[in-house]
Amino acid sequence: MINSEIARKCTEWIRMPSRAAARTTRKSAAERRAEIASTAESIARESGLSSVTMRAVGARIGIAPTLVLHHAESMDLLVANTFERIVGSELGEVTELASQVREPGRALPELLKSVLDGSRTEVTRVWVESWVLGRENAELAARVRAQMDAWRALLANLIEAGEAAGVYRVADPLAVAGQLLGMIDGVGAHSLVGWQDDENRVDLMLRAVDAMLGVASD
């Protein structure tokens, strides 16, 4: 009886993973960095860019807050990277959307409808918070400027294409694109507090843009 009990315990002990084996299942530094980046993005989309903190990311993953900082280098950098991931993804989506519109002068209105129809509130919130947080986060401010430059370039390209097709009459597409970007940002910010409904916002914007671009009214 004693011998059989000893044998059973020995068998169980052999089957238990050793500490060395357990250590091999830990995530690599690259895997942990990817997990932190993905978690930070989820938090920002759900609760805003200002909610991306060391404590919040660590709690979501189940690791110590200090370990987040160890892999992210700095919270300023993590926030900046998170901003870039979110708004860069949106820019890619709307660029693809615009590229699929073949009718001259229709790509820009379709892009505006997509951006201002109320379906991208989480990204709008990230943009608005980035302008405030960027005052104290130089890395974030640099990413914000770069993304605004990219947006202005996209809008200018669409305006130039419409001008080449004879739909628009614009003297300086890049300057008008900058003005248009400011309007998009302002109207998007208004949507966060429910000022005018989505349909009115889009309609007013499209009419203003037609006037800016010299589109003849019917």
Side-chain angles (χ1 to χ4, degrees):
M1 180 70 177
I2 295 177
N3 289 339
S4 62
E5 181 66 17
I6 292 174
R8 183 183 66 79
K9 289 183 179 293
C10 288
T11 301
E12 290 178 352
W13 179 81
I14 292 172
R15 290 176 178 174
M16 289 176 61
S18 67
R19 292 183 179 179
R23 282 196 296 269
T24 63
T25 63
R26 292 180 180 177
K27 294 182 179 179
S28 67
E31 290 172 330
R32 187 63 80 187
R33 284 194 297 270
E35 182 181 37
I36 289 171
S38 177
T39 301
E41 180 178 352
S42 296
I43 291 172
R45 288 183 179 276
E46 294 167 10
S47 307
L49 201 60
S50 59
S51 296
V52 179
T53 65
M54 199 165 50
R55 185 179 298 276
V57 174
R60 180 76 63 94
I61 297 175
I63 61 176
T66 52
L67 191 57
V68 174
L69 193 57
H70 172 74
H71 288 290
E73 296 185 30
S74 75
M75 287 308 299
D76 280 358
L77 184 59
L78 178 59
V79 169
N81 288 339
T82 301
F83 164 82
E84 190 171 55
R85 283 166 63 100
I86 293 173
V87 302
S89 176
E90 181 192 43
L91 181 59
E93 290 173 8
V94 297
T95 300
E96 176 62 23
L97 171 66
S99 71
Q100 294 175 1
V101 180
R102 302 303 179 189
E103 184 181 350
R106 290 305 309 164
L108 183 56
E110 291 304 316
L111 180 150
L112 293 174
K113 290 176 185 178
S114 174
V115 172
L116 300 174
D117 66 0
S119 63
R120 300 177 182 273
T121 301
E122 62 182 24
V123 184
T124 300
R125 178 176 179 174
V126 166
W127 266 112
V128 171
E129 289 192 339
S130 75
W131 298 322
V132 177
L133 297 176
R135 290 176 61 85
E136 305 297 333
N137 181 340
E139 186 64 42
L140 174 60
R143 306 294 179 89
V144 172
R145 291 192 296 269
Q147 288 296 319
M148 292 179 74
D149 285 344
W151 262 96
R152 183 175 60 177
L154 170 61
L155 296 173
N157 287 339
L158 296 179
I159 292 171
E160 289 171 354
E163 186 180 27
V167 179
Y168 303 147
R169 294 187 295 276
V170 179
D172 189 343
L174 189 62
V176 174
Q179 184 178 359
L180 177 55
L181 180 60
M183 293 169 64
I184 292 172
D185 291 338
V187 172
H190 295 166
S191 72
L192 295 180
V193 293
W195 191 59
Q196 302 188 82
D197 59 47
D198 295 331
E199 185 175 345
N200 282 339
R201 278 192 294 271
V202 174
D203 181 61
L204 288 172
M205 174 64 94
L206 291 176
R207 282 191 281 166
V209 169
D210 281 353
M212 289 171 59
L213 300 179
V215 178
S217 58
D218 296 331

